[in-house]
Structure formats: C-alpha cells, structure tokens
Amino acid sequence: MITTLIQTCRKWLKRAVENPKKFFMCSMVFLVVSFIGSMIHGIFFSSETVFKIKPPVLYSHSTAVQNKEANHEKEMEKIVTELKALKIKRNRKELQKEDSLRIEYLFNQYQQLKNGR
C-alpha cells in the first residue's frame, strides 16, 4: 500500500514538473475554494465561541487603570504647584541656572503625564 502511495506521488510530481502552469492553476483554485469554504463554515456553521470577534479593550473600568490616572493627576498637581513656586521666584528675580533646568524638566514631565505616557 505504501509503495502505491509513493508511486502515485511520483506521478503527480512528474506531471507538476511537466506542466507547471496547470499545477499552479490547480493549486490556486484549491486554495481559493478551501478559503471560501472555511469562511462559510466559520460564519454559518460553527459554534459561537470559535469565530466570535471581540472588540478591542479601549477603556477599562478596573481599579488599576483608575489608580494610575489618579496618580497621574496627583503628579501633575505637584508639578503645577512647584512651577507656581518657581514663577514667584522668577518675579522676585531670584532664579538661578539650576532653577531654569528644573523648570524645563518639570515642563517635560507635565507634558508626558498629560499625553499619557
């Protein structure tokens, strides 16, 4: 039985080598028909759990996400209060080079928190 299977495979390979266009067309037709068949089976005849498409989770109501947002808000409030203190220092003309670097750093941190990174 195995020898007949091997002989049949050799015949098919020989035909494929002799007629590559026909072999290519037959394999493409087989692939298209099997794809369409699997789509029809998946849509009409399968159980609900196999092909159920779930929407992506865009918003979460979990406490972890809410805590993260609350922490971002607290950090942003701290940054704003520190920037206000530095603004008062600027109005008194007591700013130093380190203060300018601190203002730039705080502004970048605020932008990152605001953009949700």
Side-chain angles (χ1 to χ4, degrees):
M1 179 160 171
I2 295 177
T3 56
T4 57
L5 181 64
I6 293 173
Q7 289 174 353
T8 308
C9 288
R10 285 184 181 166
K11 287 180 185 177
W12 286 349
L13 287 174
K14 184 179 178 183
R15 289 181 192 162
V17 170
E18 290 173 355
N19 301 318
K21 288 183 182 179
K22 187 175 181 182
F23 174 75
F24 179 76
M25 287 297 294
C26 290
S27 40
M28 284 298 120
V29 167
F30 173 76
L31 288 174
V32 168
V33 168
S34 63
F35 176 74
I36 292 172
S38 68
M39 290 298 290
I40 290 172
H41 179 269
I43 292 171
F44 295 111
F45 301 110
S46 71
S47 64
E48 291 293 323
T49 59
V50 175
F51 279 96
K52 183 161 179 126
I53 298 173
K54 297 177 183 176
V57 178
L58 297 177
Y59 301 102
S60 177
H61 298 291
S62 69
T63 57
V65 173
Q66 291 174 352
N67 288 339
K68 186 177 178 182
E69 291 174 1
N71 289 339
H72 281 301
E73 291 295 325
K74 288 178 184 177
E75 288 292 322
M76 289 171 67
E77 287 176 14
K78 288 180 185 177
I79 290 172
V80 167
T81 55
E82 191 172 348
L83 284 173
K84 285 181 182 178
L86 288 170
K87 183 178 179 183
I88 292 170
K89 196 173 181 182
R90 182 197 68 186
N91 290 340
R92 293 183 194 161
K93 300 185 190 229
E94 299 174 355
L95 277 182
Q96 298 174 356
K97 185 175 182 176
E98 295 84 18
D99 294 330
S100 299
L101 293 173
R102 182 70 180 162
I103 290 170
E104 187 176 339
Y105 171 77
L106 289 172
F107 182 74
N108 288 335
Q109 287 293 106
Y110 183 82
Q111 289 297 326
Q112 287 180 355
L113 290 172
K114 187 176 178 183
N115 293 333
R117 292 183 187 163

